Amino acid sequence: MKPIHKIAGQVMGDLEAFHGSKPAIDADNILIVRGMSRKRFNEELDAVLSNLLKSLGARQIDMFSEEGGNIIGIMDERIRESVDIPGETDITGVYLLKESLEAMNCNVAYTLGVIDNVGTFIVTWKDKSGIGPQFVEVVAANME
């Protein structure tokens, strides 16, 4: 099993979002999986994701640091190897994603980490009313 598949599987399993999840991209160097969590979170989503990275043995990275920008850039390259995307890499796209989900009345949390040579980006969101599912997306990309 490829490390990117193992990590994405662990994330989706720990967040109880594996059943019914679907890969958006499944290529040699990148895996993007989306699903709905059956888990009820009793703590803030940021804490849930931070604890998840710790349990995976990942080092959490500040998304807007130079290292975070480099990791997002590599992830973007991996995606562009599989899908034709116009325009340049823009790390603020992650923040715009959060803003657009919040504009749709969702609570949003995301985190970036590195496990061995795999960059991992996890985002989760749910309607602020508490009604409906908790959505989860994980991106796992080889950094080499």
Side-chain angles (χ1 to χ4, degrees), residues 1-7 26-29 142:
M1 177 182 292
K2 293 181 188 177
I4 58 175
H5 288 91
K6 182 179 178 189
I7 291 167
D26 186 356
D28 288 338
N29 289 314
N142 288 325

Side-chain angles (χ1 to χ4, degrees), residues 32 46 49 61-65 67-76 79-80 88-103 108-113 120-125 137 139:
I32 301 175
D46 289 324
L49 296 182
I61 307 295
D62 178 357
M63 185 90 56
F64 299 102
S65 68
E67 183 180 19
N70 291 338
I71 292 168
I72 295 293
I74 292 169
M75 288 179 168
D76 185 69
I79 292 169
R80 289 171 189 268
E88 299 292 320
T89 300
D90 183 5
I91 188 156
T92 60
V94 173
Y95 189 72
L96 294 174
L97 168 70
K98 182 177 182 184
E99 283 183 340
S100 66
L101 289 169
E102 287 174 340
V108 182
Y110 54 79
T111 191
L112 181 67
T120 306
F121 175 73
I122 308 165
V123 61
T124 184
W125 66 96
E137 182 171 317
V139 178

Side-chain angles (χ1 to χ4, degrees), residues 4-76:
I4 58 175
H5 288 91
K6 182 179 178 189
I7 291 167
Q10 284 179 296
V11 169
M12 297 305 277
D14 286 355
L15 294 175
E16 295 179 20
F18 193 81
H19 181 73
S21 64
K22 301 206 184 301
I25 296 177
D26 186 356
D28 288 338
N29 289 314
I30 189 159
L31 176 63
I32 301 175
V33 180
R34 296 180 182 138
M36 293 184 295
S37 177
R38 290 162 170 58
K39 190 172 189 173
R40 296 290 171 219
F41 299 98
N42 296 323
E43 55 190 310
E44 290 296 317
L45 292 174
D46 289 324
V48 168
L49 296 182
S50 181
N51 290 334
L52 176 58
L53 283 182
K54 286 178 190 171
S55 73
L56 294 171
R59 181 171 54 90
Q60 193 164 6
I61 307 295
D62 178 357
M63 185 90 56
F64 299 102
S65 68
E66 183 177 339
E67 183 180 19
N70 291 338
I71 292 168
I72 295 293
I74 292 169
M75 288 179 168
D76 185 69

